[in-house]
Amino acid sequence: MEPEDFTGLAERLPEPLRLLVKDETVSTNDDARALGVAGAADGLVVVARRQTGGRGRRGAAWFSPPGESLAFSVLVRPVEPPALWPRLALAAGLAVAQAVEEFVPLGGIKWPNDVWIGGRKVAGILVEAGHGFAIIGIGINVNAREFPAGLAGTATSLALETGMRIGLPGVLGDILRQLARRRLQIGAEFHEVLEGVRQRCVLAGRAVSLVTASGRLEGTVEGIAPGGELLLRTATGVQRLLQADEVRLV
Ligand code: BTN
């Protein structure tokens, strides 16, 4: 198979996005972080044709077979205060869900930012902060038709959902165009992100079990608070969760 050609896309990206294409790397998040530390400007996108050590949330490995999935990271230097940067996770989730909707009717968002199609995960996002910058790392299953045993039944791809093989540069362009807009909405316009996330929230009204820094919690999701926190009704009342690991539907 010919390697994906990202040249045409690089020429059409909205400002300030610039593309750095790598044939192979360990993790595009690590590359973007190193470039951020070295002073790279806002908007640098590192995309890898092959990622050998992709990382997911909670330190899990991220499955991204070459030619069949997109793995990329965007270096951002938000003008908003760092306290608002966790909102980038929701903004990115919405951007990816909207890009997915170029191919399927409605993308679901599993708070904070897994993107689902019909109950299965199609994309994952790992936002990491550095000094003066944040990295938005995105992995999306585009053409994969088979998944390793641990993911079978919980993962899907655009190709499985549409029956078509889809070009990676087109999907990357769709996501970056959405993200260019949504990442600017973590301040005064955050209600626009929230509205989009709430419309697609697959957890609303559902019973969940999740792990937080202070232990396991079980309850029913009431929705998403104005700051992007998950509202969970537990036996002791409604809790606002800023972040949580391992959110599971029960
Ligand atoms: C998750 O759902 O656990 C998040 C997965 C994030 C994977 C992407 S692939 C590109 C970027 N580089 C990494 O090492 N991780 C992210």
Side-chain angles (χ1 to χ4, degrees):
M1 206 197 311
E2 286 291 303
E4 296 285 343
D5 185 358
F6 292 99
T7 327
L9 171 65
E11 289 156 5
R12 291 195 313 272
L13 285 177
E15 295 256 328
L17 298 178
R18 292 126 26 238
L19 211 54
L20 172 63
V21 182
K22 294 198 147 195
D23 277 332
E24 181 172 311
T25 194
V26 175
S27 158
T28 56
N29 263 36
D30 292 349
D31 295 335
R33 174 179 291 275
L35 291 161
V37 169
D42 178 85
L44 181 67
V45 182
V46 183
V47 58
R49 294 196 172 94
R50 176 189 297 269
Q51 190 177 236
T52 55
R55 291 182 285 111
R57 296 172 67 223
R58 305 183 303 279
W62 179 253
F63 171 74
S64 57
E68 299 187 346
S69 62
L70 266 174
F72 64 98
S73 302
V74 185
L75 168 73
V76 293
R77 295 187 182 274
V79 293
E80 294 82 4
L84 299 184
W85 295 6
R87 295 179 175 187
L88 287 169
L90 271 72
L94 179 58
V96 175
Q98 290 189 298
V100 159
E101 288 161 12
E102 298 284 327
F103 303 95
V104 297
L106 189 65
I109 297 176
K110 181 182 169 231
W111 182 91
N113 56 12
D114 282 354
V115 178
W116 279 19
I117 305 175
R120 293 182 182 213
K121 179 165 168 170
V122 68
I125 297 167
L126 179 65
V127 178
E128 297 177 320
H131 288 293
F133 63 85
I135 308 296
I136 304 171
I138 298 176
I140 174 163
N141 305 323
V142 181
N143 292 314
R145 287 180 179 268
E146 284 174 11
F147 293 93
L151 298 178
T154 60
T156 190
S157 69
L158 294 180
L160 282 174
E161 298 296 329
T162 60
M164 296 183 310
R165 196 172 168 84
I166 295 169
L168 299 186
V171 179
L172 179 57
D174 289 339
I175 297 175
L176 290 176
R177 276 184 286 275
Q178 296 287 350
L179 188 61
R181 180 164 81 102
R182 295 298 182 188
R183 58 153 291 202
L184 299 177
Q185 296 181 326
I186 63 168
E189 293 176 20
F190 190 58
H191 59 97
E192 302 215 10
V193 171
L194 274 179
E195 193 184 325
V197 171
R198 284 175 176 148
Q199 280 168 4
R200 295 168 176 81
C201 179
V202 299
L203 297 181
R206 305 286 302 265
V208 295
S209 164
L210 39 79
V211 178
T212 69
S214 45
R216 182 170 290 279
L217 274 179
E218 299 202 339
T220 303
V221 173
E222 296 224 318
I224 299 173
E229 308 90 341
L230 191 73
L231 292 170
L232 183 74
R233 178 166 293 280
T234 67
T236 56
V238 177
Q239 305 212 15
R240 256 168 206 257
L241 303 176
L242 253 182
Q243 55 182 27
D245 291 336
E246 202 194 301
V247 183
R248 245 195 264 147
L249 289 167
V250 291

